[in-house]
């Protein structure tokens, strides 16, 4: 009799537990949201508190940061400048705990460059990674690309490419690319070369597809640029618009912009598109909204 | 000498039979299994993460083992008064201390070897599943890090022996050993702050003297922490290995001898 009563009580309690659980979970949500970012302590303090568990602390902080980013960036509008500041400070702590860890550099470069407009922060991380991971050619390669593509610092970018070229396993065309950057020629061709390597080395299919779309657009731009140059060489002046190139038989047809925009010629003869080449990583805040990250 | 070996054997067997050891091993095995799942949260450096988690698991479970089973094995004799039976035998008190220490070392070597072999599985599995040409992981460094974890645990075992010879309850020696571990792990970093002489940071001469004394008296446990190097495949110089081993040898020998000395002089009620 006593045992039966005990079993009934236990079952009733379990049913009650199941019933209250959703409400409990709901009430946790705002608290969880508020705490999602979590505290960032200064790197020396974290180092002190981590005792001998520095690598696993770095692992934990990194997975927390990347999940926070993943959760927030999939909801447009909630991603703010302070999120970037938090992420950047997080990555600084992680790379202080384990300076050889590749993921924070790779992740930082991916989120701070395209669309985010915080190339300087990405570059600071990449520089730290280039110095620590002395065998890794990809980090100085990314650094070189950022300086060339976003900051228009060709000479500095070329310097980084030469650092990458000296490291094992690097692409054999790097010294050639660096030479072209030094001589300030072939901007579109250089961008294509960079992106081809990015795409080749990228395992993530989603990012790879984005690279391929951009490559497609850049190859079209290169085609038009060559046609413009040929027209100028032949007629001694710039074409009025792209249709002139088609009518004169230099360009077979006006290529389509894979981003859905239309190509046109600027006043200086440069090739432009109405889509302005949308950011390669989607869901990352408004492309035109510059985020200036300062600690 | 025979007395030491047979006491070491008894201590080792007693430790292996301890139920807590099974609990610690099961926890470690679950953590290794979890490692394979957790690595999917990361992007490129998967093998690094697997190696980092595996080594942390080994270090942490080794620490639990030495601190809980070790204090139990050594202090129990004094706590439960079974020491009278030991000291009435033809074995000196110093031999008793050394025998206990050697037995603990056997236990540490056996456990770390077992956990080390099992821990290589998640690293191997992730290595086969994710190829990352930018990863320079090396088994040589990984094994070196395992050996250094074992050395660190043996040093802590020496600390346990020392405290057990002074105090009469196992709980107090457990707390004191944990205190040594917590002070010993970051004390190099604290000394580093002192040496940097950062501007705007005023450290009183007394504080600075205390930090220096702590640095030299307490063990520098961060010297044995090669997890960052092992996870990333950063090679360790032969000089580092040699000098750290010499440091380890001296520190452990001093602390065990001090324990033996205290034991020789100690009066049991």
């Amino acid at each position: 009799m006593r045992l039966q009563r005990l079993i009934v009580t236990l079952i009733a309690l379990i049913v009650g537990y199941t019933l209250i659980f959703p409400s409990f979970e709901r009430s946790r949500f705002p608290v969880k949201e508020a705490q999602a970012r979590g505290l960032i302590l200064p790197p020396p303090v974290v180092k002190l508190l981590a005792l001998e568990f520095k690598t696993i602390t770095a692992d934990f902080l990194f997975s927390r940061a990347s999940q926070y980013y993943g959760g927030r960036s999939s909801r447009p509008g909630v991603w703010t400048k302070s999120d970037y500041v938090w992420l950047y400070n997080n990555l600084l702590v992680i790379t202080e705990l384990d300076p050889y860890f590749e993921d924070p550099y790779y992740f930082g470069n991916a989120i701070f460059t395209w669309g985010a407009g915080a190339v300087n922060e990405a570059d600071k991380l990449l520089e730290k990674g280039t110095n620590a991971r002395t065998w890794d050619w990809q980090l100085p390669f990314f650094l070189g690309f950022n300086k060339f593509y976003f900051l228009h610092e060709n000479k500095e970018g070329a310097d980084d490419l030469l650092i990458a070229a000296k490291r094992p396993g690097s692409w054999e065309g790097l010294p050639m690319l660096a030479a072209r950057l030094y001589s300030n020629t072939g901007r579109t061709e250089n961008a294509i070369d960079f992106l081809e390597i990015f795409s080749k080395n990228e395992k993530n299919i989603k990012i790879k597809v984005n690279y391929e779309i951009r490559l497609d657009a850049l190859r079209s731009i290169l085609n038009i640029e060559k046609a413009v140059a040929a027209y100028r060489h032949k007629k001694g002046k710039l074409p009025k618009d792209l249709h002139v190139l088609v009518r004169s038989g230099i360009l077979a047809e006006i290529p389509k912009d894979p981003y859905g925009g239309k190509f046109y010629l600027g006043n200086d003869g440069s090739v432009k598109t109405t889509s302005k080449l949308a950011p390669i990583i989607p869901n990352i805040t408004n492309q035109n909204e510059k985020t200036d990250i300062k600690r | 000498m025979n007395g030491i070996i047979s006491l070491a054997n008894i201590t080792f067997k007693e430790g292996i039979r301890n139920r807590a050891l099974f609990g610690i091993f099961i926890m470690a095995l679950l953590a290794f299994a979890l490692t394979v799942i957790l690595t999917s949260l990361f992007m490129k450096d998967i093998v690094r993460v697997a190696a980092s988690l595996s080594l942390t698991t080994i270090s942490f479970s080794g620490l639990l083992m030495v601190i809980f089973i070790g204090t139990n094995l050594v202090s129990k004799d004094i706590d439960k008064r079974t020491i009278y039976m030991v000291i009435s035998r033809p074995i000196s008190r110093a031999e008793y201390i050394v025998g206990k220490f050697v037995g603990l070392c056997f236990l540490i070597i056996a456990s770390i070897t077992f956990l080390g072999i099992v821990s290589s599985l998640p690293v191997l599995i992730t290595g086969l599943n994710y190829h990352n040409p930018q990863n320079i992981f090396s088994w040589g460094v990984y094994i070196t890090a395992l050996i250094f974890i074992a050395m660190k645990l043996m040093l802590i075992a020496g600390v346990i022996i020392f405290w057990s010879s002074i105090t009469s309850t196992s709980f107090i020696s457990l707390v004191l050993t944990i205190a040594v571990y917590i002070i010993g792990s970051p004390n190099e970093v604290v000394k580093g702050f002192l040496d940097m002489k950062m501007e705007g940071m005023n450290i009183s001469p007394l504080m600075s003297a205390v930090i220096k004394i702590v640095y030299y008296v307490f063990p520098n446990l961060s010297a044995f922490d090669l997890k960052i190097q092992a996870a990333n495949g950063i090679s360790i110089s032969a000089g580092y290995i040699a000098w750290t081993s010499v440091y380890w040898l001296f520190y452990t020998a001093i602390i065990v001898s001090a324990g033996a000395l205290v034991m020789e002089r100690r009066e049991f009620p």
Side-chain angles (χ1 to χ4, degrees):
Chain A
M1 197 57 206
R2 214 157 133 206
L3 191 73
Q4 268 177 351
R5 228 185 292 160
L6 206 64
I7 291 172
V8 170
T9 314
L10 188 64
I11 291 173
L13 283 173
I14 292 173
V15 171
Y17 175 78
T18 321
L19 289 176
I20 61 114
F21 201 87
S23 307
F24 159 72
E25 209 178 12
R26 257 198 310 281
S27 74
R28 274 287 296 159
F29 186 74
V31 180
K32 250 172 34 191
E33 272 281 288
Q35 293 172 347
R37 279 189 190 174
L39 188 69
I40 311 174
L41 296 166
V45 178
V46 181
K47 252 181 153 169
L48 205 65
L49 293 179
L51 298 176
E52 60 162 313
F53 303 106
K54 291 187 188 71
T55 55
I56 197 170
T57 310
D59 297 344
F60 165 73
L61 291 177
F62 181 75
S63 61
R64 185 182 72 166
S66 65
Q67 276 175 40
Y68 180 76
Y69 173 76
R72 297 276 273 188
S73 64
S74 58
R75 283 183 284 157
V78 292
W79 191 249
T80 61
K81 182 185 155 186
S82 75
D83 287 320
Y84 277 115
V85 177
W86 180 81
L87 266 177
Y88 179 66
N89 288 337
N90 235 312
L91 295 179
L92 283 184
V93 174
I94 297 165
T95 51
E96 202 59 43
L97 283 168
D98 182 354
Y100 306 109
F101 191 7
E102 187 185 0
D103 284 17
Y105 302 117
Y106 177 78
F107 178 63
N109 181 49
I111 61 170
F112 291 137
T113 50
W114 302 100
V119 180
N120 283 327
E121 280 64 32
D123 284 0
K124 268 181 221 154
L125 282 170
L126 287 175
E127 267 160 28
K128 199 172 175 184
T130 303
N131 291 336
R133 294 174 58 86
T134 49
W135 62 91
D136 189 339
W137 70 271
Q138 287 188 356
L139 298 179
F141 176 70
F142 287 144
L143 193 58
F145 173 76
N146 288 351
K147 287 181 183 163
F148 152 75
Y149 194 83
F150 296 109
L151 304 174
H152 298 268
E153 293 170 350
N154 281 7
K155 203 196 143 299
E156 289 80 359
D159 290 342
D160 291 322
L161 289 190
L162 288 184
I163 295 175
K166 289 197 187 93
R167 296 187 172 181
S170 65
W171 178 56
E172 62 274 12
L174 278 181
M176 201 62 194
L177 185 58
R180 289 217 306 267
L181 289 196
Y182 277 127
S183 66
N184 247 333
T185 54
R187 187 169 166 77
T188 311
E189 276 170 298
N190 296 344
I192 289 173
D193 274 357
F194 270 116
L195 285 173
E196 273 174 351
I197 306 172
F198 283 168
S199 180
K200 206 177 86 185
N201 286 303
E202 186 54 65
K203 295 256 158 53
N204 185 323
I205 297 295
K206 241 170 107 182
I207 301 177
K208 204 182 178 87
V209 167
N210 281 321
Y211 282 142
E212 288 300 326
I213 294 173
R214 190 164 286 250
L215 267 172
D216 197 20
L218 287 174
R219 285 190 192 114
S220 300
I221 291 175
L222 183 64
N223 262 342
I224 304 172
E225 279 175 358
K226 280 181 177 161
V228 171
Y231 184 90
R232 200 177 181 173
H233 185 73
K234 210 162 126 188
K235 311 256 169 150
K237 60 174 185 178
L238 284 172
K240 218 171 79 199
D241 56 30
L242 294 181
H243 298 286
V244 175
L245 292 172
V246 179
R247 275 198 299 275
S248 61
I250 296 174
L251 196 63
E253 54 170 352
I254 300 172
K256 277 204 177 89
D257 176 4
Y259 291 103
K262 277 204 170 97
F263 291 116
Y264 64 95
L265 278 183
N267 291 336
D268 55 349
S270 63
V271 183
K272 296 196 157 115
T273 164
T274 52
S275 73
K276 288 183 180 163
L277 304 181
I280 212 152
I281 296 173
N283 304 329
I284 194 173
T285 193
N286 189 349
Q287 190 194 6
N288 301 322
E289 183 192 304
K290 290 264 174 186
T291 353
D292 182 25
I293 297 183
K294 287 197 176 79
R295 281 205 79 192
Chain B
M1 194 63 200
N2 276 341
I4 292 176
I5 296 294
S6 52
L7 192 66
N9 271 330
I10 296 166
T11 311
F12 173 69
K13 280 179 190 154
E14 220 183 319
I16 286 287
R17 285 196 205 105
N18 196 314
R19 291 283 167 86
L21 194 65
F22 281 103
I24 291 168
F25 278 2
I26 287 169
M27 184 206 79
L29 296 181
L30 285 176
F32 290 143
L34 199 65
T35 295
V36 181
I37 302 165
L38 281 178
T39 49
S40 61
L41 294 174
F42 294 84
M43 298 170 171
K44 294 190 85 183
D45 230 351
I46 311 288
V47 175
R48 188 215 82 101
V49 175
S52 135
L53 293 177
S54 288
L55 285 171
T56 307
T57 304
I58 294 177
S59 190
F60 184 66
S61 23
L63 204 63
L64 284 182
M65 180 188 76
V66 171
I67 288 182
F68 289 101
I69 300 176
T71 40
N72 192 21
L73 284 179
V74 181
S75 306
K76 204 177 62 189
D77 278 351
I78 303 167
D79 220 359
K80 300 215 167 126
R81 311 282 157 103
T82 41
I83 185 101
Y84 294 112
M85 281 164 65
V86 181
I87 51 180
S88 60
R89 304 228 164 179
I91 173 172
S92 76
R93 289 183 184 191
E95 280 174 331
Y96 167 80
I97 285 290
V98 176
K100 281 278 176 188
F101 172 73
V102 175
L104 269 180
C105 290
F106 286 168
L107 187 66
I108 290 164
I109 292 167
S111 313
I112 297 300
T113 310
F114 170 71
L115 291 176
I117 291 168
V118 183
S119 80
S120 61
L121 287 177
V123 181
L124 271 175
I125 292 170
T126 47
L128 290 176
N129 284 342
Y130 304 89
H131 177 65
N132 177 9
Q134 299 305 316
N135 185 290
I136 52 165
F137 178 82
S138 130
W139 284 105
V141 188
Y142 189 82
I143 292 166
T144 314
L146 281 177
I147 295 170
F148 270 65
I149 288 176
M151 280 160 67
K152 178 197 73 185
L153 295 176
M154 286 186 230
L155 194 154
I156 294 173
V159 173
I160 291 174
I161 296 278
F162 175 74
W163 290 125
S164 301
S165 67
I166 292 178
T167 64
S168 50
T169 48
S170 54
F171 183 72
I172 293 179
S173 50
L174 180 126
V175 171
L176 290 173
T177 307
I178 292 176
V180 171
Y181 169 76
I182 291 176
I183 297 169
S185 295
N187 75 357
E188 193 182 61
V189 183
V190 177
K191 172 91 173 358
F193 287 149
L194 194 69
D195 292 342
M196 275 197 302
K197 291 189 179 71
M198 277 201 289
E199 262 181 60
M201 209 164 82
N202 279 323
I203 300 173
S204 69
L206 177 74
M207 187 65 182
S208 147
V210 169
I211 291 174
K212 267 189 194 144
I213 291 169
V214 165
Y215 177 71
Y216 289 110
V217 171
F218 283 81
N220 181 354
L221 295 177
S222 40
F224 302 98
D225 178 20
L226 299 180
K227 285 193 275 298
I228 290 180
Q229 288 81 349
N232 293 290
I234 311 294
S235 60
I236 301 154
S237 72
Y240 183 90
I241 294 176
W243 282 114
T244 311
S245 305
V246 172
Y247 168 81
W248 169 79
L249 202 65
F250 272 95
Y251 198 98
T252 316
I254 288 171
I255 197 114
V256 175
S257 315
L261 185 70
V262 174
M263 200 63 164
E264 286 284 350
R265 308 283 300 168
R266 185 170 175 175
E267 286 191 14
F268 291 100

